[in-house]
Amino acid sequence: MNTWQSVRADVLERIRSREWPPGELIPTEQELAVSLGCARATVNRALRELADSGIIERRRKVGTRVASTSARRTVLDMPAIRTEIEATGAVYSYELASFTTQLPTPAAARALQVPASQELLLIKAKYTADGQPHCCEAIWLNTRLLPPLTRRDVEDQSAHEWLASRVALTHGRFSILADAAKGDCARHLEIDEGTAVLTIERTNCSDTTPVSFARQFYPPQHRLVSED
């Protein structure tokens, strides 16, 4: 256990096996360092990565706790781009752009808590509203944790719709940021490379296990509306 990646893998396996169930406090950094035979700084880095993915919760003077999840394990109600478009009265259209297996980006590996050497499935798609570019998406899937998935499964429905119908998703983690459009994203949105676009990142989990990491890109002037 001389690397933070190996410590992370050990902690994650204990959580997945329910040795440490949701809501339970886990040993302190010092206790883990002693039991795993590594430096406390190594444990700290591993736990930071797990906390950033929402798998554990860290609080000063309280300790580190496995994130609580829904006891019912029902399918998480995910905002679908189809619903988003049709709610405006526009005609929804989805097009699969690519379906490939490849090594993850650093962000995808971190979000899905997998080593950089593990291949993941990357699905890219574009969405239009009344024929106009609405969103482009890149979603990484850890197929080792999912039912069998083929290209045909996502030719007529988005990867998110397939995922919601096949896996009991219990919670998700969102980030909203501005990013520069490039490559396929700029082409699908019909904008110049380098144009600032609204970007939404989402990691979906089943219990404490991250199974998908998506990045959705919206063209300039897109408005994100949320209602209570």
Side-chain angles (χ1 to χ4, degrees):
M1 291 295 171
N2 56 358
T3 67
W4 67 265
Q5 292 95 335
S6 58
V7 172
R8 179 189 63 183
D10 182 83
V11 172
L12 194 56
E13 178 56 33
R14 296 192 195 192
I15 293 173
R16 289 174 176 170
S17 68
R18 296 303 183 101
E19 178 181 340
W20 297 333
E24 179 169 315
L25 283 171
I26 71 172
T28 66
E29 288 183 7
Q30 184 60 39
E31 290 170 336
L32 285 172
V34 171
S35 66
L36 297 176
C38 63
R40 181 172 176 176
T42 302
V43 174
N44 179 273
R45 172 68 188 279
L47 296 186
R48 281 207 320 269
E49 291 284 329
L50 292 171
D52 287 344
S53 295
I55 294 172
I56 60 175
E57 299 170 347
R58 309 182 76 191
R59 295 183 182 179
R60 290 188 61 187
K61 299 183 179 180
V62 175
T64 301
R65 190 183 303 274
V66 180
S68 298
T69 58
S70 169
R72 293 183 295 121
R73 283 186 53 80
T74 55
V75 171
L76 184 68
D77 182 19
M78 294 195 302
I81 297 178
R82 178 194 296 273
T83 303
E84 178 182 304
I85 292 174
E86 292 179 343
T88 68
V91 175
Y92 164 86
S93 179
Y94 157 84
E95 181 180 334
L96 175 64
S98 66
F99 184 99
T100 59
T101 298
Q102 60 189 70
L103 296 178
T105 61
R110 183 169 57 252
L112 295 178
Q113 295 296 315
V114 298
S117 59
Q118 179 181 326
E119 290 191 332
L120 299 174
L121 177 61
L122 173 61
I123 299 175
K124 294 184 178 181
K126 61 179 181 179
Y127 303 81
T128 62
D130 284 343
Q132 298 301 310
H134 180 83
C135 174
C136 65
E137 176 183 66
I139 178 170
W140 296 88
L141 299 169
N142 187 348
T143 52
R144 296 185 183 183
L145 306 173
L146 298 172
L149 171 62
T150 66
R151 183 185 182 95
R152 180 175 296 180
D153 292 321
V154 290
E155 285 182 341
D156 298 318
Q157 66 174 339
S158 72
H160 277 298
E161 291 175 327
W162 178 89
L163 190 64
S165 67
R166 299 294 195 283
V167 181
L169 301 171
T170 54
H171 65 286
R173 182 183 180 89
F174 285 95
S175 295
I176 300 175
L177 61 150
D179 203 351
K182 56 186 177 181
D184 290 339
C185 174
R187 181 167 56 84
H188 293 326
L189 295 180
E190 299 178 7
I191 56 179
D192 294 332
E193 288 208 25
T195 301
V197 292
L198 172 67
T199 305
I200 298 178
E201 294 181 343
R202 176 171 186 139
T203 303
N204 287 314
C205 299
S206 180
D207 276 344
T208 55
T209 305
V211 295
S212 72
F213 171 66
R215 302 193 81 213
Q216 297 169 339
F217 307 91
Y218 292 85
Q221 283 76 55
H222 180 83
R223 183 182 299 272
L224 183 66
V225 178
S226 177
E227 296 183 4
D228 294 331

